[in-house]
Amino acid sequence: MEQQQTPSAVEQAMLAEFERRIAAGETVEPKDWMPERYRKQLVRMMSQHAHSEVVGMLPEGNWITRAPSLRRKLGLLAKVQDEAGHGLYIYCGTETLGVGRDELLDQLLSGKAKYSSIFNYPTLTWADIGAIGWLVDGAAIVNQTMLAKASYGPYARAMVRICKEENFHKKQGFEIMTVLAGGTPAQKAMAQDALDRWWWPSLMMFGPSDKDSPNSAELTKWGVKRKGNDELRQRFVNQTVAQAQAIGLTIPDPELTLDEATGDWKFGQIDWDEFHRVISGDGPCNRERLAARRKAHDDGAWVRAAAEAHAAKQDGQGGAARVA
Ligand SMILES: [Fe+2]
Ligand SMILES: [Fe+2]
């Protein structure tokens, strides 16, 4: 009897110590003891995040060859390349939790893994590239600034660097929108149309309301999330309404009103049916995105094989050199 109870008592003490450290604002590092549930939640969240960075390259990559000037092309190329880097930092972070990139990529390519629903919408015009930088990267910054204070060290540190780069992305997107909104009537209409299509999906990026979000309470308790989805969404709306006004564009929400008492812009109902439809695979571009990722993976098979052959050859030479 006593032997069965001892491990549980030890584990309870470890859990209490873990929660004391979190409450004291200490960072959890890869070799520290952590509850299995904490590890699993982090892997789930970080893999969704990493996949979003990588799939997020696709709607924008669509416009690299059609950017309207060399300066715009350079900016977009650099941004898309940054997103690949963001994916890699975060995949490296999941490796510290014992889950490798190969395994996560298999889950993505098989359709099992989730990624942000926003990347299943199409980029129809050049203004969409402006709207993505301004709104999608803007929303990502609000979320990721909070995650830079997450309790898991490798994730938090990756976020610090990523946020710096996301700021450039947001600025280049807002600059594109500013130029279009101040251009010809046709250019302004194109910018407004992009805002109309990207506004609501951007608000969905923060996820369901906290009361409907199954993981929120646990992630908050363990210091992975420091703010709720609704609070972050409100912060994003407040800052973005002012920016839209500054460049003469209209947020597509007739219910948008300023609450003088709190300073918050109150917004209309988000279409959560649409959100769930897109998340579960039935958005405008879900199939196209996965097909593009699978093709890229298959096309890259020879690169992986060559890299492995090269590494094996280097190992062989290294071994011989050591013997010599
Ligand atoms: Fe990113
Ligand atoms: Fe970005």
Side-chain angles (χ1 to χ4, degrees):
M1 277 297 277
E2 235 181 66
Q3 275 180 335
Q4 281 177 348
Q5 283 171 359
T6 312
S8 149
V10 168
E11 190 150 308
Q12 274 180 17
M14 289 164 97
L15 181 61
E17 170 61 9
F18 175 83
E19 291 188 340
R20 183 202 63 74
R21 289 185 56 201
I22 299 264
E26 287 180 34
T27 304
V28 179
E29 295 297 336
K31 287 183 177 166
D32 296 345
W33 183 87
M34 62 188 82
E36 182 56 16
R37 178 87 187 147
Y38 176 85
R39 193 185 71 81
K40 281 209 170 122
Q41 283 280 36
L42 270 170
V43 170
R44 183 188 60 79
M45 202 169 149
M46 290 165 73
S47 73
Q48 282 184 19
H49 190 164
H51 295 329
S52 302
E53 300 282 356
V54 170
V55 177
M57 297 162 74
L58 297 171
E60 294 185 285
N62 182 34
W63 278 92
I64 289 174
T65 55
R66 292 177 287 166
S69 69
L70 182 59
R71 180 170 175 267
R72 294 293 190 215
K73 192 191 289 272
L74 285 171
L76 184 56
L77 265 174
K79 178 186 193 294
V80 171
Q81 185 172 301
D82 284 352
E83 306 299 5
H86 297 174
L88 290 180
Y89 304 155
I90 306 169
Y91 287 130
C92 287
T94 60
E95 280 174 6
T96 68
L97 293 162
V99 181
R101 180 153 51 113
D102 286 354
E103 191 180 327
L104 294 179
L105 283 179
D106 281 349
Q107 290 171 6
L108 175 66
L109 299 177
S110 70
K112 205 177 128 201
K114 290 204 162 41
Y115 56 86
S116 181
S117 62
I118 193 97
F119 301 117
N120 292 314
Y121 291 85
T123 41
L124 303 179
T125 72
W126 170 252
D128 289 22
I129 299 305
I132 288 178
W134 175 34
L135 302 173
V136 177
D137 291 83
I141 292 169
V142 171
N143 205 24
Q144 291 172 173
T145 303
M146 180 267 303
L147 291 172
K149 298 185 190 90
S151 56
Y152 189 57
Y155 194 27
R157 288 190 289 273
M159 287 305 116
V160 173
R161 179 163 176 186
I162 287 176
C163 279
K164 289 188 176 144
E165 294 178 348
E166 301 294 10
N167 267 304
F168 282 106
H169 302 170
K170 184 187 169 180
K171 281 177 188 161
Q172 65 90 36
F174 190 59
E175 196 211 357
I176 292 171
M177 293 303 267
T178 304
V179 169
L180 290 175
T184 63
Q187 286 172 320
K188 184 168 183 182
M190 189 165 76
Q192 182 63 53
D193 171 61
L195 171 58
D196 291 349
R197 284 180 291 106
W198 290 92
W199 174 251
W200 291 104
S202 299
L203 297 198
M204 294 174 196
M205 281 176 71
F206 295 91
S209 187
D210 296 313
K211 60 182 184 340
D212 304 322
S213 176
N215 297 305
S216 271
E218 197 169 48
L219 292 170
T220 305
K221 180 180 84 175
W222 280 333
V224 178
K225 288 179 78 164
R226 302 283 183 185
K227 306 269 181 207
N229 295 351
D230 293 321
E231 185 182 345
L232 294 171
R233 186 169 15 245
Q234 186 65 60
R235 185 179 293 183
F236 171 72
V237 170
N238 291 352
Q239 73 185 31
T240 310
V241 169
Q243 289 159 357
Q245 287 173 339
I247 58 173
L249 295 181
T250 307
I251 301 281
D253 180 357
E255 291 177 47
L256 196 70
T257 42
L258 181 63
D259 180 337
E260 302 276 358
T262 59
D264 287 340
W265 283 93
K266 295 289 163 206
F267 47 92
Q269 273 296 320
I270 294 172
D271 183 350
W272 291 113
D273 288 342
E274 176 181 326
F275 172 80
H276 290 297
R277 212 165 45 239
V278 178
I279 275 280
S280 59
D282 213 11
C285 299
N286 296 55
R287 287 161 199 85
E288 190 183 329
R289 300 293 181 239
L290 271 190
R293 284 305 319 153
R294 287 185 190 124
K295 180 177 185 308
H297 192 75
D298 292 347
D299 289 351
W302 71 271
V303 180
R304 292 190 296 278
E308 271 174 28
H310 180 71
K313 199 170 147 193
Q314 295 291 105
D315 275 358
Q317 282 173 356
R322 276 196 295 278
V323 171

